[in-house]
Amino acid sequence: MSQFNYLNEVNSIFKMDGDLTVGCPAPRWQKKMESSNASMLSSSMNINSSKLSMSYNNSYTTMAALSGKTPQKSGKSPGRKTTPNAAKTPSGGDRFIPNRSTTNFDLGHYKIKMEQLNINDENSSKEQTNQSDLQKMITENLQGGDIKSRKIFSFQDKAPAAPEFHQNPLRVVYSVKTPMSTKSGTRFIPSSPDRILDAPDIINDYYLNLLDWSNDNIVTVALGNVVYLWNAGSGNIEQLRTYEERDHACSLSWAKEGGAILAIGDNEGNVELWDCEAKKRLRVMNGHEARVGALAWNSYIVTSGSRDSNIIHHDVRQRDHCVSTLSGHTEEVCGLKWSPDNKYLASGGNDNLVNIWPSTTSSNSPIEPVKVLNQHQAAVRALAWCPWQPNLLATGGGTADRCIKFWNVNNGTVVNSVDSKSQVCALLWSKNYKELISAHGYANNQLTIWKYPSMVKQAELTGHTSRVLQIAMSPDGSTVISAAADETLRLWNCFTPDPNQAKKEKTSTWTKTTVGLRQGIR
């Protein structure tokens, strides 16, 4: 085996394609690699120029010492030519290549970019300043001064006065005080009654008016053949009038000027006047041939409507009380209401008509209605005049009609019409809000509060199991009482006034009018 080892050694000596490592200088690329590794070990990423130069000098001195030569202090060595970059190459190469780790290209790019942005910002700010100055100058020229010192609304210049002959037709809109208009959902309306009273034997008749509430807070109601008085303040109940077995009251109405004067229409066609404080009947006025189902007061005039289709004005101060007769209906008159200014009388009948009569109570010639409203399709019993707009009348139709209509009585046109989906038995305007309450029959037997003029439902008051025959309002306008065929009376606290609103003082004219009314009845 030794001869094979000897041959391998001889072949390795004379082999020419391998690396010559013995007695030969290192190749150029290896020297550069060693130089770069040495500089990386001796410097960091943020090395400064002084450290670089110090490292350069130290490495150069070390190499000179190893070669046995000392560096000369100045210039070039005599008798020797060098390459242009020889003095800069500490590793003995022909040129110097710096290490990439010692240069921060990202930082340099960031600084250059910031300088360009700063220059652009300065230029744009100058342009914006020039543009804002130009806009300010144009605005001041147009406005006549600095806009910062001027107000949007200026009250210094008063509006010119109107001519002497000018009349403002909308002056009444701003001079007349109207009830508050409450937004939907901002006022709490109780859905249950505040109190429930028994009303046995109440007559279930759509054409009768058997409930009323006086200005002295006394509620009168006819149950069977008895007329009762209920004091809403104290709760006392008294019997005022008891009829014979087959006789009964058909309509009840308090004198509106105050006092305890009550008018009662019966089934014999008579109208009785009662002093409820003394429990004394003052007068009996006849003139009708059938039952009196509707009554309405206008100062000393009490107006009665009968099944004989006639309307009579009774003057309680005169011996001959019948001052005029109105004949405009062909069937029973079941609704009567005077306007707030006592200028018109509205009458509704079973002939589906609503007649508007003038306030004239005595005339030699027959009195004709001013307007005839004939758009209902059923009997009209529910009538209500708007308290803040005297020419606006609300009417409600029976089962075949079910509509609530609003009329402008000046021209006889329909302002609005709403289908209530059920029989309309009664209507009342609120004294405290721009709202209307309606009483209904089949199928829900409910009371509905409407917001006027949008006619959006504010609330529905349910609880009655039969149709609501009649409703009346308390003197302060906060409570509504309803009488239904289910033989109950329910009090709804649905129009409570705003506590911040100033309370209205009671005038003494009620007492004076009451005394004069009692003395004038004959």
Side-chain angles (χ1 to χ4, degrees):
M1 297 296 292
S2 59
Q3 64 272 20
F4 292 106
N5 294 332
Y6 175 76
L7 290 175
N8 290 333
E9 291 177 1
V10 172
N11 290 332
S12 63
I13 292 171
F14 289 100
K15 191 176 182 180
M16 299 301 294
D17 56 351
D19 295 333
L20 298 177
T21 58
V22 180
C24 295
R28 182 178 177 181
W29 63 269
Q30 188 173 1
K31 291 180 181 181
K32 289 183 178 181
M33 184 65 69
E34 291 175 357
S35 174
S36 111
N37 292 335
S39 62
M40 288 178 63
L41 292 174
S42 62
S43 61
S44 62
M45 291 295 292
N46 298 324
I47 188 167
N48 52 31
S49 60
S50 61
K51 291 183 180 181
L52 284 173
S53 61
M54 185 179 295
S55 175
Y56 175 82
N57 293 332
N58 291 336
S59 63
Y60 186 82
T61 304
T62 304
M63 293 182 66
L66 291 173
S67 61
K69 299 179 181 180
T70 58
Q72 296 183 6
K73 294 183 179 179
S74 62
K76 304 175 182 179
S77 58
R80 184 180 178 182
K81 295 181 180 181
T82 60
T83 59
N85 294 329
K88 299 179 182 180
T89 56
S91 59
D94 56 351
R95 63 189 180 89
F96 173 70
I97 300 176
N99 186 12
R100 287 183 178 271
S101 62
T102 61
T103 58
N104 195 340
F105 292 99
D106 293 336
L107 179 61
H109 177 73
Y110 172 75
K111 289 183 177 181
I112 295 172
K113 199 70 175 179
M114 289 301 296
E115 291 178 359
Q116 294 178 355
L117 291 175
N118 291 335
I119 294 172
N120 294 333
D121 290 342
E122 290 178 1
N123 295 333
S124 61
S125 63
K126 290 180 181 179
E127 293 178 358
Q128 291 178 359
T129 303
N130 296 334
Q131 187 177 2
S132 62
D133 293 340
L134 179 61
Q135 290 179 352
K136 181 178 180 182
M137 182 177 64
I138 295 173
T139 306
E140 289 180 355
N141 291 332
L142 293 175
Q143 299 293 335
D146 187 7
I147 58 175
K148 293 184 178 179
S149 61
R150 296 178 65 87
K151 297 180 179 179
I152 297 176
F153 297 102
S154 178
F155 300 97
Q156 297 177 357
D157 301 332
K158 295 182 179 180
E164 295 181 357
F165 57 86
H166 175 73
Q167 293 181 355
N168 184 7
L170 299 178
R171 184 176 181 182
V172 66
V173 177
Y174 302 98
S175 60
V176 178
K177 186 176 181 182
T178 60
M180 294 178 296
S181 179
T182 306
K183 295 181 180 180
S184 178
T186 59
R187 179 169 61 90
F188 174 71
I189 302 176
S191 59
S192 58
D194 185 62
R195 187 180 300 181
I196 301 177
L197 305 175
D198 290 331
D201 300 328
I202 189 170
I203 301 175
N204 184 8
D205 194 329
Y206 176 80
Y207 302 98
L208 304 184
N209 295 272
L210 304 176
L211 179 71
D212 199 12
W213 201 332
S214 74
N215 291 328
D216 293 334
N217 208 19
I218 305 297
V219 176
T220 180
V221 59
L223 303 177
N225 62 342
V226 181
V227 177
Y228 291 91
L229 301 176
W230 176 67
N231 191 320
S234 61
N236 295 331
I237 300 176
E238 296 177 342
Q239 291 186 11
L240 177 67
R241 175 77 160 91
T242 302
Y243 287 91
E244 298 285 335
E245 182 178 355
R246 295 184 179 180
D247 296 334
H248 58 84
C250 297
S251 57
L252 303 170
S253 180
W254 291 99
K256 301 305 177 184
E257 284 75 12
I261 305 301
L262 177 66
I264 304 175
D266 60 20
N267 60 328
E268 296 292 333
N270 299 321
V271 177
E272 300 179 352
L273 298 181
W274 282 78
D275 183 354
C276 295
E277 289 184 353
K279 306 295 185 296
K280 180 180 179 181
R281 186 173 66 181
L282 302 177
R283 190 172 183 179
V284 178
M285 299 177 293
N286 53 20
H288 289 291
E289 297 178 358
R291 67 180 185 182
V292 178
L295 292 170
W297 282 87
N298 181 4
S299 186
Y300 292 99
I301 302 296
V302 57
T303 304
S304 59
S306 173
R307 185 178 249 178
D308 61 8
S309 72
N310 291 326
I311 301 172
I312 298 178
H313 293 309
H314 306 272
D315 191 340
V316 299
R317 300 169 299 177
Q318 300 181 14
R319 182 180 297 274
D320 296 331
H321 55 85
C322 183
V323 292
S324 61
T325 301
L326 309 178
S327 300
H329 292 278
T330 57
E331 294 190 30
E332 181 175 5
V333 178
C334 51
L336 286 176
K337 285 291 169 63
W338 283 94
S339 62
D341 55 2
N342 295 326
K343 186 178 179 180
Y344 295 111
L345 171 69
S347 63
N350 196 28
D351 54 2
N352 308 342
L353 296 180
V354 177
N355 290 330
I356 307 299
W357 304 90
S359 58
T360 304
T361 56
S362 60
S363 176
N364 296 328
S365 60
I367 301 175
E368 298 294 332
V370 177
K371 298 291 179 183
V372 178
L373 314 178
N374 56 2
Q375 295 191 21
H376 281 289
Q377 305 300 320
V380 182
R381 173 175 175 252
L383 303 171
W385 291 90
C386 181
W388 65 86
Q389 194 172 347
N391 64 329
L392 182 64
L393 175 67
T395 61
T399 306
D401 184 79
R402 305 178 303 178
C403 290
I404 300 175
K405 297 183 183 297
F406 298 90
W407 307 83
N408 184 346
V409 297
N410 291 338
N411 52 24
T413 59
V414 178
V415 178
N416 192 9
S417 180
V418 178
D419 187 0
S420 66
K421 309 296 183 182
S422 58
Q423 180 188 40
V424 183
C425 300
L427 292 171
L428 281 178
W429 289 93
S430 173
K431 299 179 181 179
N432 302 320
Y433 303 94
K434 278 190 173 182
E435 295 174 356
L436 182 77
I437 185 170
S438 57
H440 299 275
Y442 180 82
N444 295 326
N445 307 312
Q446 83 282 10
L447 282 78
T448 304
I449 299 177
W450 309 83
K451 183 177 177 61
Y452 186 82
S454 63
M455 292 305 289
V456 175
K457 288 184 180 182
Q458 294 286 82
E460 285 194 350
L461 310 179
T462 59
H464 285 293
T465 57
S466 297
R467 66 177 176 180
V468 182
L469 298 170
Q470 185 76 23
I471 56 176
M473 186 173 290
S474 62
D476 60 356
S478 63
T479 306
V480 173
I481 187 171
S482 59
D486 59 3
E487 298 186 346
T488 60
L489 302 176
R490 297 174 187 259
L491 283 84
W492 311 87
N493 192 14
C494 54
F495 293 126
T496 303
D498 187 358
N500 297 327
Q501 188 179 13
K503 295 181 180 180
K504 297 180 180 180
E505 298 180 358
K506 292 183 180 180
T507 59
S508 59
T509 55
W510 288 358
T511 306
K512 296 179 181 179
T513 306
T514 302
V515 174
L517 183 61
R518 289 175 181 171
Q519 294 177 354
I521 295 176
R522 304 180 63 180

